[in-house]
Amino acid sequence: MKNLRIPENYRPLLDLKQTEMAIKEIKDFFQLSMSSELRLRRVTAPLFVRKGTGINDDLDGVERPVSFPVKGIGNAEVEVVQSLAKWKRLALADYGIEPGYGIYTDMNAIRPDEELDNIHSIYVDQWDWEKTILEDDRKIEYLRKVVRQIYETMKRTEFFVYEMHPDIRPVLPDKIRFIHSQDLLEMYPGADPEEREYRITEEYGAVFVIGIGSELSDGRPHDLRAPDYDDWSSPSVDGRIGLNGDI
């Protein structure tokens, strides 16, 4: 795999058995902490959905989902999910989740067009969550609040790992920094988006990039986002658009 990078003289701190045990410990601790912090209820997610229903996530609009016919429903085509972004919002309504509360699930998906590297695979195993909010919550202050809650959960998990495995020492700073993708472009005008993220994270340790998906001053977005559900148009920092972002 050409994009796989292994540092020279790399030696893992845990062996294979310890690593599997640590993964289980982290998943158990993090999901309990996260669900408590954000007031989320666990639900079971689908592995596939009917083709043509609009429920599957098209990601950037060009990725091909894995599909197959199902004999029991007249050979109708179903698609393996690529993400649950749309399904989660339907689930909020189906479960009647009130504002201030939400759902989370452990999602499994297949993304055959994924660019493979150290942290990306065609097989996806990740948490997905969604929360019901009020119209008045669609503002930058609420976004910052939720990001800080998630970051505190990450820090607690980091300390838990350190308690269980002292060789893995905490590295996260006390606070997470916020920066708009346009400001990031202006700070590092000669760098591509991935390099900008690396450089700002090297400086601050933990960063949330706001405004991902909308066009920047160089005519390009910081990164691609699905055009049919992500929030690119609400007022954000200094009147710029886009509440979408990444830690």
Side-chain angles (χ1 to χ4, degrees), residues 136-159:
D136 289 345
D137 292 329
R138 294 179 66 238
K139 58 184 65 173
I140 193 67
E141 293 81 7
Y142 188 83
L143 174 65
R144 290 174 184 267
K145 173 188 173 183
V146 173
V147 170
R148 291 190 182 102
Q149 288 178 298
I150 296 171
Y151 185 65
E152 287 303 314
T153 301
M154 294 170 65
K155 286 183 59 185
R156 286 196 294 271
T157 305
E158 181 187 48
F159 179 73

Side-chain angles (χ1 to χ4, degrees), residues 144-182:
R144 290 174 184 267
K145 173 188 173 183
V146 173
V147 170
R148 291 190 182 102
Q149 288 178 298
I150 296 171
Y151 185 65
E152 287 303 314
T153 301
M154 294 170 65
K155 286 183 59 185
R156 286 196 294 271
T157 305
E158 181 187 48
F159 179 73
F160 170 76
V161 172
Y162 173 60
E163 286 285 279
M164 302 297 293
H165 307 281
D167 288 338
I168 303 178
R169 304 189 64 83
V171 298
L172 293 176
D174 289 339
K175 296 181 179 181
I176 188 170
R177 299 291 188 110
F178 294 85
I179 188 167
H180 196 281
S181 56
Q182 178 61 40

Side-chain angles (χ1 to χ4, degrees), residues 8-9 30 32 55 66 93 121 137 153 171 193 195 200-201 233:
E8 188 176 355
N9 300 320
F30 183 85
L32 181 61
I55 298 176
V66 175
S121 167
D137 292 329
T153 301
V171 298
E195 185 179 354
I200 195 68
T201 306
S233 59

Side-chain angles (χ1 to χ4, degrees), residues 17-122:
K17 180 180 177 180
Q18 292 171 324
T19 298
E20 288 295 333
M21 293 174 62
I23 290 172
K24 176 66 165 54
E25 293 164 354
I26 291 170
K27 293 190 73 171
D28 289 346
F29 181 89
F30 183 85
Q31 69 179 0
L32 181 61
S33 183
M34 177 94 162
S35 61
S36 177
E37 183 72 37
L38 296 179
R39 297 193 287 187
L40 308 176
R41 173 188 303 165
R42 190 192 182 284
V43 297
T44 300
L47 181 59
F48 48 83
V49 295
R50 281 204 185 215
K51 184 176 181 179
T53 59
I55 298 176
N56 202 2
D57 186 1
D58 295 330
L59 300 178
D60 300 335
V62 297
E63 287 85 353
R64 301 167 300 165
V66 175
S67 63
F68 58 92
V70 177
K71 180 179 179 181
I73 54 175
N75 284 322
E77 289 277 323
V78 299
E79 297 176 341
V80 177
V81 296
Q82 299 194 101
S83 103
L84 297 175
K86 298 177 182 178
W87 176 87
K88 289 180 298 181
R89 297 177 187 186
L90 291 173
L92 287 176
D94 290 341
Y95 283 99
I97 304 298
E98 298 179 359
Y101 296 86
I103 59 174
Y104 79 94
T105 189
D106 194 352
M107 183 196 77
N108 299 116
I110 297 177
R111 298 177 179 175
D113 290 335
E114 189 70 72
E115 293 290 336
L116 306 181
D117 56 27
N118 292 55
I119 59 175
H120 293 92
S121 167
I122 65 170

